[in-house]
Amino acid sequence: MGSLFTDRQEDKSMAYYFARFVSWLCCFLPDRVSDGMGTFLGRLTWLLIPARRRRMATENVSACLGVEHQEAVRIAKASWVRFGPMLFEVMRFPVLKPRFLEIAEIEGASYLREGLALGRGAVIASAHSGNWELMGGVLAAAGFPTVGVAMRQKEAGFDRFINEYRRGVGMHVTYKDNVREMFALLKQGWAVGLLMDQDISRRDGIVFDWFGRPTNFVQGPAALARHQNAPIVPGYIHRLPDGRHRILFHPPVFVERTKDKEADIRRAMEAVSRTLEQHIRRYPEEWFWLHDRWKSQRD
């Protein structure tokens, strides 16, 4: 048993050093070469996606956007291919960090700034759209006290690697099960970033119409904001045609504090979800359609 445990620990360590080595190589690449290699990797790995999942993504695109089958296939494929350039960008964080404010611009920064000025922190409600990892680093470079709420990776070596890179670009990192720390950071005036677009169990979520379909949504952003009386500032990142990025913030959403807590949270999340639907309709290729977003509803 001792030998087996040691082998597993070594595997985790090897994953960390392998990721660091790949990152070191990527840092030598010019921007255009990096994007080209990332796009090639995305197109290559698209062929490895199981047909069932590609079909599910295509069907969801058609149902949500009302487009023909061929266009739905194109959007579903593009939403996967973009992960290639995104991966290369994350691997190149050490050389991109000094240029964060050159390669990305922030539209609506005043919404976040004014929300934080209230002195109660803020919840940034975002999604798996565009390069959300880059978004946190850009906000930190712009002077916003940013918290990245992470999901613990199964591979400990990679978990260590990605969190080191998140901290290295100026973010504070906490895990999504560490709710107590999120409350504490809000009280200290931090902007806590939460990704709100994944399906969860029916027991933990709330169901309302999104893209005209009953959809199970997380309660986290509204529940956290309501407890601290903090604003929710919806924000998403979009890749521009020239390879740069634009972060788009929307006006803050405030959670009411009536006697009906469940209704307060529902109203706030419905308002925030409308900004996400609007963003996805505008940039459909940048959202992660291969996530089985309506699984809990089918179940």
Side-chain angles (χ1 to χ4, degrees):
M1 288 295 291
S3 173
L4 178 60
F5 179 77
T6 302
D7 290 343
R8 286 177 177 171
Q9 290 297 97
E10 288 175 355
D11 287 344
K12 292 175 181 177
S13 180
M14 285 299 293
Y16 170 78
Y17 289 111
F18 176 75
R20 289 297 300 260
F21 176 68
V22 172
S23 173
W24 177 76
L25 290 176
C26 290
C27 286
F28 288 103
L29 299 175
D31 292 352
R32 288 189 177 182
V33 175
S34 173
D35 286 345
M37 291 180 66
T39 300
F40 174 76
L41 178 65
R43 289 173 177 166
L44 183 66
T45 54
W46 170 254
L47 302 175
L48 305 178
I49 302 295
R52 176 187 59 81
R53 185 158 290 270
R54 283 186 284 174
R55 184 168 58 253
M56 176 273 297
T58 301
E59 290 171 354
N60 282 335
V61 173
S62 293
C64 290
L65 303 181
V67 296
E68 297 295 330
H69 176 75
Q70 204 60 34
E71 176 65 1
V73 170
R74 184 194 69 79
I75 291 172
K77 179 179 179 180
S79 76
W80 173 263
V81 171
R82 72 179 180 85
F83 276 98
M86 175 182 168
L87 173 63
F88 274 75
E89 281 178 331
V90 172
M91 287 295 186
R92 297 177 68 231
F93 269 8
V95 294
L96 291 180
K97 180 184 175 182
R99 296 195 287 131
F100 272 173
L101 298 184
E102 297 174 17
I103 64 175
E105 59 190 46
I106 306 174
E107 183 177 308
S110 60
Y111 294 132
L112 181 57
R113 193 173 295 113
E114 291 166 7
L116 289 171
L118 297 174
R120 302 190 290 267
V123 176
I124 300 174
S126 195
H128 295 84
S129 185
N131 191 341
W132 65 88
E133 294 286 354
L134 178 65
M135 179 176 173
V138 172
L139 293 178
F144 293 105
T146 307
V147 179
V149 178
M151 179 181 292
R152 197 181 302 272
Q153 302 296 315
K154 293 180 180 179
E155 172 52 65
F158 184 70
D159 190 70
R160 175 187 169 191
F161 167 79
I162 189 61
N163 285 330
E164 279 187 5
Y165 271 41
R166 288 165 176 155
R167 294 185 183 102
V169 296
M171 285 191 288
H172 177 89
V173 179
T174 188
Y175 289 110
K176 71 173 189 176
D177 57 355
N178 197 347
V179 179
R180 181 175 296 180
E181 184 179 13
M182 292 183 217
F183 284 134
L185 290 166
L186 273 180
K187 289 180 181 179
Q188 295 169 24
W190 289 76
V192 178
L194 294 174
L195 301 176
M196 61 168 178
D197 58 333
Q198 287 193 306
D199 194 18
I200 58 173
S201 70
R202 284 291 300 273
R203 181 189 61 200
D204 300 322
I206 48 177
V207 178
F208 50 79
D209 280 357
W210 189 61
F211 280 104
R213 308 166 69 186
T215 307
N216 192 24
F217 256 88
V218 298
Q219 303 183 56
L224 193 63
R226 186 181 186 275
H227 183 276
Q228 184 60 22
N229 197 21
I232 306 174
V233 186
Y236 315 102
I237 187 168
H238 159 59
R239 186 179 178 92
L240 299 168
D242 63 2
R244 295 170 62 250
H245 301 263
R246 177 179 293 142
I247 296 172
L248 303 161
F249 281 117
H250 294 258
V253 174
F254 289 89
V255 189
E256 295 181 74
R257 303 181 76 176
T258 70
K259 293 181 180 180
D260 192 340
K261 178 180 177 181
E262 183 179 337
D264 295 343
I265 289 174
R266 173 182 294 276
R267 280 192 297 271
M269 288 310 302
E270 285 179 337
V272 173
S273 74
R274 285 194 292 270
T275 69
L276 176 56
E277 180 176 334
Q278 173 188 339
H279 183 83
I280 294 171
R281 287 185 183 280
R282 190 174 180 185
Y283 307 113
E285 298 89 350
E286 297 194 54
W287 190 55
F288 188 34
W289 290 99
L290 274 90
H291 170 61
D292 197 352
R293 186 64 183 83
W294 284 270
K295 181 179 186 299
S296 68
Q297 288 298 98
R298 291 200 310 275
D299 294 342

